[in-house]
């Protein structure tokens, strides 16, 4: 039995985004959705637990239940999304650190456009790290029994050979990278056309002890797979490229098939990540001078320069002698009258006529024109729509009599019976030909 966890508000489960994956797995085993906290009782008859991008943190007791489940031969598949635990407010890295893995706080984009418009929908054609994936990609999940314990699979062709990195192409949408250390090993990488380059996208861990749960009447080791994209097997992407074949290989590995991965494959020479300052934001900030200041003296008067700007009459004799040299008559300076240009016209007093209050409209009596000029049949139909309840029948008869002209001048003098009497009399006279 395979359990999809939904207790932590996962975004991917059989009711959302994993519908096609659920139908794919139901061909050979039972599928269940767990909405409660993970416990030993819930995972008793389970072979695989799938966690699809949780939005809430797990408790320590739940992590201990998952660890014991893996040690007893169970398998766990964890799918994350871009931004890792920081974006999803989860704590999966606390659990994965025990197995040498952690989900990074980053995103994977394709540096060169090809086939898919959005940069985060990265098409990776040379990201297969394990050659076993390319050799096993054409072997589907086969139904051979109702229970997962009786499921059998087609054996792998022995003479099939394919390229280790380009043997399978897949789409990696809205995903992040994964940090992998021993004893875990890398399954997929971002390749050479995506950024960051050749970084792990999926990793796995396998227990050394073969114990616990049986599969095909044999014991199998506990296994863990972590994928940095929860959309890689989602409904919109499962049938794109060869994502479906990659899904079959991963779940055959989780179900205890004889698929062996080489832990020595993949890059391990990654440089330590360093935080780079945001240059564009820092450039807009006000910055002080970066030159080192000299220490200030205690006598502040020595810091004042009095010779740079001064006023004196020492140069006046030299200026008077210059008049003689230039043969210019010396005259005292006179006041030059300034001439101011007026760019605007002269101002005038502005006057406005007073605003008089308008007299109010004449107080005319309001009356209904429809009542005076409408046809008798129209008025009777309007009256009928107004009186719906039988309790107002007397008022209805009086108003109808007033409309057809059976009333006297004062409509309050006649009752409903009088109106009916007059109406019957008129009808009788008309029948008898007296009118």
């Amino acid at each position: 039995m395979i359990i999809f966890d939904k207790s932590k508000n996962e975004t991917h489960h059989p009711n959302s985004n994993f519908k096609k994956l659920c139908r794919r797995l139901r061909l050979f085993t039972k599928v269940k959705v767990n909405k409660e906290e993970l416990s030993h009782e819930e995972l008793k008859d389970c072979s695989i637990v799938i966690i699809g991008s949780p939005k809430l943190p797990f408790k320590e007791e739940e992590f201990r239940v998952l660890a014991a489940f893996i040690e007893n031969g169970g398998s766990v598949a964890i799918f994350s999304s871009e931004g890792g635990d920081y974006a999803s407010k989860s704590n999966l890295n606390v659990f994965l650190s025990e197995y040498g893995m952690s989900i990074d706080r980053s995103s994977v984009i394709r540096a060169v456009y090809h086939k898919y418009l959005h940069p985060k929908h990265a098409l990776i054609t040379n990201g297969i790290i394990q050659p076993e994936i390319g050799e096993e990609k054409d072997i589907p999940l086969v139904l051979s029994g109702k229970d997962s314990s009786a499921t059998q699979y087609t054996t792998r062709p022995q003479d099939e050979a394919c390229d280790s990195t380009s043997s399978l192409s897949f789409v990696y949408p809205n995903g992040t990278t994964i940090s992998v250390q021993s004893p875990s090993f890398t399954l997929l990488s971002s390749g050479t056309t995506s950024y960051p380059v050749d970084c792990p996208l999926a990793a796995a861990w396998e227990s050394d002890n073969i114990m616990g749960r049986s599969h095909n009447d044999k014991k199998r080791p506990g296994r863990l797979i972590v994928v940095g994209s929860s959309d890689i097997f989602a409904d919109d992407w499962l049938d794109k490229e060869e994502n479906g074949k990659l899904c079959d290989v991963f779940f055959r590995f989780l179900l205890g098939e004889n698929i062996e991965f080489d832990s020595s494959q993949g890059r391990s020479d990654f440089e330590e990540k360093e935080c780079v300052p945001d240059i564009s934001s820092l450039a807009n900030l006000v910055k002080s001078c970066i030159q080192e200041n000299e220490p200030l003296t205690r006598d502040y008067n020595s810091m004042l320069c009095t010779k740079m700007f001064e006023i004196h009459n020492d140069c006046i004799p030299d200026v008077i002698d210059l008049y003689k040299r230039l043969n210019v008559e010396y005259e005292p300076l006179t006041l030059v009258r300034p001439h101011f240009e007026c760019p605007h016209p002269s101002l005038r007093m502005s006057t406005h006529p007073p605003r008089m209050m308008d007299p109010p409209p004449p107080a005319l009596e309001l009356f209904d024109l429809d009542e005076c000029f409408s046809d008798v049949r129209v008025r009777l139909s309007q009256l009928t729509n107004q009186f719906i309840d039988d309790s107002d029948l007397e008022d209805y008869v009086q108003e109808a009599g007033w409309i057809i002209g059976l009333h006297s001048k004062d409509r309050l003098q006649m009752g409903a019976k009088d109106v009916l009497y007059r109406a019957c009399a008129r009808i009788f006279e008309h029948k008898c030909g007296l009118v």
Side-chain angles (χ1 to χ4, degrees), residues 249-265:
V249 175
F250 280 4
F251 278 94
R252 288 181 58 203
F253 173 76
L254 293 173
L255 287 170
E257 285 298 299
N258 189 20
I259 301 178
E260 297 181 359
F261 293 132
D262 187 2
S263 59
S264 63
Q265 298 289 338

PDB file of all heavy atoms in Angstrom, residues 249-265:
ATOM      1  N   VAL A 249      10.959   4.430 -12.991  1.00  0.00           N
ATOM      2  CA  VAL A 249      12.243   3.979 -12.440  1.00  0.00           C
ATOM      3  C   VAL A 249      12.329   4.307 -10.956  1.00  0.00           C
ATOM      4  O   VAL A 249      12.751   3.473 -10.137  1.00  0.00           O
ATOM      5  CB  VAL A 249      13.407   4.614 -13.218  1.00  0.00           C
ATOM      6  CG1 VAL A 249      14.741   4.247 -12.581  1.00  0.00           C
ATOM      7  CG2 VAL A 249      13.391   4.173 -14.669  1.00  0.00           C
ATOM      8  N   PHE A 250      11.917   5.505 -10.572  1.00  0.00           N
ATOM      9  CA  PHE A 250      11.992   5.909  -9.170  1.00  0.00           C
ATOM     10  C   PHE A 250      11.112   5.025  -8.289  1.00  0.00           C
ATOM     11  O   PHE A 250      11.544   4.577  -7.210  1.00  0.00           O
ATOM     12  CB  PHE A 250      11.584   7.375  -9.020  1.00  0.00           C
ATOM     13  CG  PHE A 250      12.671   8.340  -9.365  1.00  0.00           C
ATOM     14  CD1 PHE A 250      13.893   7.899  -9.856  1.00  0.00           C
ATOM     15  CD2 PHE A 250      12.495   9.717  -9.215  1.00  0.00           C
ATOM     16  CE1 PHE A 250      14.901   8.786 -10.182  1.00  0.00           C
ATOM     17  CE2 PHE A 250      13.490  10.613  -9.532  1.00  0.00           C
ATOM     18  CZ  PHE A 250      14.699  10.146 -10.028  1.00  0.00           C
ATOM     19  N   PHE A 251       9.894   4.744  -8.729  1.00  0.00           N
ATOM     20  CA  PHE A 251       8.991   3.961  -7.882  1.00  0.00           C
ATOM     21  C   PHE A 251       9.336   2.478  -7.916  1.00  0.00           C
ATOM     22  O   PHE A 251       9.044   1.767  -6.956  1.00  0.00           O
ATOM     23  CB  PHE A 251       7.547   4.208  -8.304  1.00  0.00           C
ATOM     24  CG  PHE A 251       6.971   5.464  -7.735  1.00  0.00           C
ATOM     25  CD1 PHE A 251       6.994   6.650  -8.448  1.00  0.00           C
ATOM     26  CD2 PHE A 251       6.429   5.476  -6.463  1.00  0.00           C
ATOM     27  CE1 PHE A 251       6.476   7.816  -7.923  1.00  0.00           C
ATOM     28  CE2 PHE A 251       5.909   6.629  -5.918  1.00  0.00           C
ATOM     29  CZ  PHE A 251       5.940   7.807  -6.657  1.00  0.00           C
ATOM     30  N   ARG A 252       9.957   1.994  -8.973  1.00  0.00           N
ATOM     31  CA  ARG A 252      10.467   0.620  -8.922  1.00  0.00           C
ATOM     32  C   ARG A 252      11.594   0.500  -7.913  1.00  0.00           C
ATOM     33  O   ARG A 252      11.725  -0.508  -7.223  1.00  0.00           O
ATOM     34  CB  ARG A 252      10.952   0.205 -10.314  1.00  0.00           C
ATOM     35  CG  ARG A 252       9.822  -0.029 -11.323  1.00  0.00           C
ATOM     36  CD  ARG A 252      10.367  -0.454 -12.655  1.00  0.00           C
ATOM     37  NE  ARG A 252      11.170  -1.662 -12.502  1.00  0.00           N
ATOM     38  CZ  ARG A 252      12.120  -2.038 -13.359  1.00  0.00           C
ATOM     39  NH1 ARG A 252      12.400  -1.278 -14.404  1.00  0.00           N
ATOM     40  NH2 ARG A 252      12.791  -3.149 -13.168  1.00  0.00           N
ATOM     41  N   PHE A 253      12.410   1.557  -7.831  1.00  0.00           N
ATOM     42  CA  PHE A 253      13.469   1.567  -6.818  1.00  0.00           C
ATOM     43  C   PHE A 253      12.882   1.606  -5.411  1.00  0.00           C
ATOM     44  O   PHE A 253      13.355   0.912  -4.500  1.00  0.00           O
ATOM     45  CB  PHE A 253      14.376   2.774  -7.072  1.00  0.00           C
ATOM     46  CG  PHE A 253      15.402   2.994  -5.995  1.00  0.00           C
ATOM     47  CD1 PHE A 253      16.528   2.194  -5.897  1.00  0.00           C
ATOM     48  CD2 PHE A 253      15.240   4.026  -5.075  1.00  0.00           C
ATOM     49  CE1 PHE A 253      17.484   2.409  -4.903  1.00  0.00           C
ATOM     50  CE2 PHE A 253      16.184   4.241  -4.080  1.00  0.00           C
ATOM     51  CZ  PHE A 253      17.307   3.423  -4.002  1.00  0.00           C
ATOM     52  N   LEU A 254      11.834   2.418  -5.210  1.00  0.00           N
ATOM     53  CA  LEU A 254      11.212   2.516  -3.894  1.00  0.00           C
ATOM     54  C   LEU A 254      10.494   1.234  -3.497  1.00  0.00           C
ATOM     55  O   LEU A 254      10.391   0.918  -2.312  1.00  0.00           O
ATOM     56  CB  LEU A 254      10.231   3.691  -3.870  1.00  0.00           C
ATOM     57  CG  LEU A 254      10.837   5.090  -4.000  1.00  0.00           C
ATOM     58  CD1 LEU A 254       9.741   6.139  -4.122  1.00  0.00           C
ATOM     59  CD2 LEU A 254      11.729   5.415  -2.807  1.00  0.00           C
ATOM     60  N   LEU A 255       9.989   0.494  -4.468  1.00  0.00           N
ATOM     61  CA  LEU A 255       9.281  -0.755  -4.179  1.00  0.00           C
ATOM     62  C   LEU A 255      10.217  -1.937  -3.982  1.00  0.00           C
ATOM     63  O   LEU A 255       9.766  -3.068  -3.849  1.00  0.00           O
ATOM     64  CB  LEU A 255       8.295  -1.066  -5.302  1.00  0.00           C
ATOM     65  CG  LEU A 255       7.049  -0.177  -5.339  1.00  0.00           C
ATOM     66  CD1 LEU A 255       6.272  -0.396  -6.615  1.00  0.00           C
ATOM     67  CD2 LEU A 255       6.172  -0.452  -4.125  1.00  0.00           C
ATOM     68  N   GLY A 256      11.513  -1.697  -3.983  1.00  0.00           N
ATOM     69  CA  GLY A 256      12.465  -2.758  -3.660  1.00  0.00           C
ATOM     70  C   GLY A 256      12.922  -3.567  -4.840  1.00  0.00           C
ATOM     71  O   GLY A 256      13.413  -4.685  -4.654  1.00  0.00           O
ATOM     72  N   GLU A 257      12.778  -3.038  -6.058  1.00  0.00           N
ATOM     73  CA  GLU A 257      13.269  -3.774  -7.215  1.00  0.00           C
ATOM     74  C   GLU A 257      14.801  -3.817  -7.200  1.00  0.00           C
ATOM     75  O   GLU A 257      15.463  -3.017  -6.535  1.00  0.00           O
ATOM     76  CB  GLU A 257      12.760  -3.115  -8.498  1.00  0.00           C
ATOM     77  CG  GLU A 257      11.295  -3.390  -8.786  1.00  0.00           C
ATOM     78  CD  GLU A 257      11.022  -4.867  -8.988  1.00  0.00           C
ATOM     79  OE1 GLU A 257      11.582  -5.457  -9.921  1.00  0.00           O
ATOM     80  OE2 GLU A 257      10.272  -5.441  -8.180  1.00  0.00           O
ATOM     81  N   ASN A 258      15.332  -4.724  -7.971  1.00  0.00           N
ATOM     82  CA  ASN A 258      16.780  -4.910  -8.023  1.00  0.00           C
ATOM     83  C   ASN A 258      17.403  -3.839  -8.913  1.00  0.00           C
ATOM     84  O   ASN A 258      17.927  -4.114  -9.994  1.00  0.00           O
ATOM     85  CB  ASN A 258      17.102  -6.314  -8.530  1.00  0.00           C
ATOM     86  CG  ASN A 258      18.587  -6.635  -8.404  1.00  0.00           C
ATOM     87  OD1 ASN A 258      19.302  -5.995  -7.641  1.00  0.00           O
ATOM     88  ND2 ASN A 258      19.040  -7.622  -9.152  1.00  0.00           N
ATOM     89  N   ILE A 259      17.357  -2.607  -8.465  1.00  0.00           N
ATOM     90  CA  ILE A 259      17.976  -1.476  -9.162  1.00  0.00           C
ATOM     91  C   ILE A 259      19.065  -0.928  -8.256  1.00  0.00           C
ATOM     92  O   ILE A 259      18.787  -0.441  -7.156  1.00  0.00           O
ATOM     93  CB  ILE A 259      16.939  -0.382  -9.486  1.00  0.00           C
ATOM     94  CG1 ILE A 259      15.823  -0.948 -10.367  1.00  0.00           C
ATOM     95  CG2 ILE A 259      17.595   0.801 -10.172  1.00  0.00           C
ATOM     96  CD1 ILE A 259      14.733   0.059 -10.682  1.00  0.00           C
ATOM     97  N   GLU A 260      20.274  -1.021  -8.694  1.00  0.00           N
ATOM     98  CA  GLU A 260      21.418  -0.598  -7.888  1.00  0.00           C
ATOM     99  C   GLU A 260      22.026   0.654  -8.498  1.00  0.00           C
ATOM    100  O   GLU A 260      22.344   0.693  -9.682  1.00  0.00           O
ATOM    101  CB  GLU A 260      22.462  -1.721  -7.832  1.00  0.00           C
ATOM    102  CG  GLU A 260      21.962  -2.990  -7.158  1.00  0.00           C
ATOM    103  CD  GLU A 260      23.034  -4.056  -7.101  1.00  0.00           C
ATOM    104  OE1 GLU A 260      24.149  -3.781  -7.618  1.00  0.00           O
ATOM    105  OE2 GLU A 260      22.758  -5.135  -6.558  1.00  0.00           O
ATOM    106  N   PHE A 261      22.180   1.675  -7.656  1.00  0.00           N
ATOM    107  CA  PHE A 261      22.787   2.923  -8.082  1.00  0.00           C
ATOM    108  C   PHE A 261      24.210   3.012  -7.532  1.00  0.00           C
ATOM    109  O   PHE A 261      24.515   2.496  -6.447  1.00  0.00           O
ATOM    110  CB  PHE A 261      21.970   4.119  -7.589  1.00  0.00           C
ATOM    111  CG  PHE A 261      20.615   4.217  -8.220  1.00  0.00           C
ATOM    112  CD1 PHE A 261      19.476   4.418  -7.442  1.00  0.00           C
ATOM    113  CD2 PHE A 261      20.457   4.105  -9.590  1.00  0.00           C
ATOM    114  CE1 PHE A 261      18.228   4.518  -8.008  1.00  0.00           C
ATOM    115  CE2 PHE A 261      19.204   4.191 -10.179  1.00  0.00           C
ATOM    116  CZ  PHE A 261      18.091   4.398  -9.391  1.00  0.00           C
ATOM    117  N   ASP A 262      25.065   3.703  -8.283  1.00  0.00           N
ATOM    118  CA  ASP A 262      26.468   3.876  -7.906  1.00  0.00           C
ATOM    119  C   ASP A 262      26.606   5.161  -7.108  1.00  0.00           C
ATOM    120  O   ASP A 262      26.350   6.260  -7.622  1.00  0.00           O
ATOM    121  CB  ASP A 262      27.341   3.923  -9.156  1.00  0.00           C
ATOM    122  CG  ASP A 262      28.835   3.924  -8.814  1.00  0.00           C
ATOM    123  OD1 ASP A 262      29.163   3.849  -7.610  1.00  0.00           O
ATOM    124  OD2 ASP A 262      29.655   4.011  -9.743  1.00  0.00           O
ATOM    125  N   SER A 263      26.996   5.037  -5.854  1.00  0.00           N
ATOM    126  CA  SER A 263      27.116   6.215  -4.984  1.00  0.00           C
ATOM    127  C   SER A 263      28.301   7.095  -5.351  1.00  0.00           C
ATOM    128  O   SER A 263      28.396   8.235  -4.888  1.00  0.00           O
ATOM    129  CB  SER A 263      27.245   5.774  -3.523  1.00  0.00           C
ATOM    130  OG  SER A 263      28.390   4.943  -3.356  1.00  0.00           O
ATOM    131  N   SER A 264      29.235   6.608  -6.176  1.00  0.00           N
ATOM    132  CA  SER A 264      30.395   7.419  -6.564  1.00  0.00           C
ATOM    133  C   SER A 264      30.108   8.339  -7.732  1.00  0.00           C
ATOM    134  O   SER A 264      30.938   9.176  -8.083  1.00  0.00           O
ATOM    135  CB  SER A 264      31.571   6.500  -6.933  1.00  0.00           C
ATOM    136  OG  SER A 264      31.251   5.695  -8.057  1.00  0.00           O
ATOM    137  N   GLN A 265      28.925   8.214  -8.370  1.00  0.00           N
ATOM    138  CA  GLN A 265      28.589   9.059  -9.508  1.00  0.00           C
ATOM    139  C   GLN A 265      28.158  10.436  -9.014  1.00  0.00           C
ATOM    140  O   GLN A 265      27.690  10.605  -7.892  1.00  0.00           O
ATOM    141  CB  GLN A 265      27.462   8.427 -10.328  1.00  0.00           C
ATOM    142  CG  GLN A 265      27.805   7.083 -10.937  1.00  0.00           C
ATOM    143  CD  GLN A 265      28.797   7.209 -12.080  1.00  0.00           C
ATOM    144  OE1 GLN A 265      28.935   8.274 -12.678  1.00  0.00           O
ATOM    145  NE2 GLN A 265      29.500   6.124 -12.365  1.00  0.00           N
TER     146      GLN A 265
END
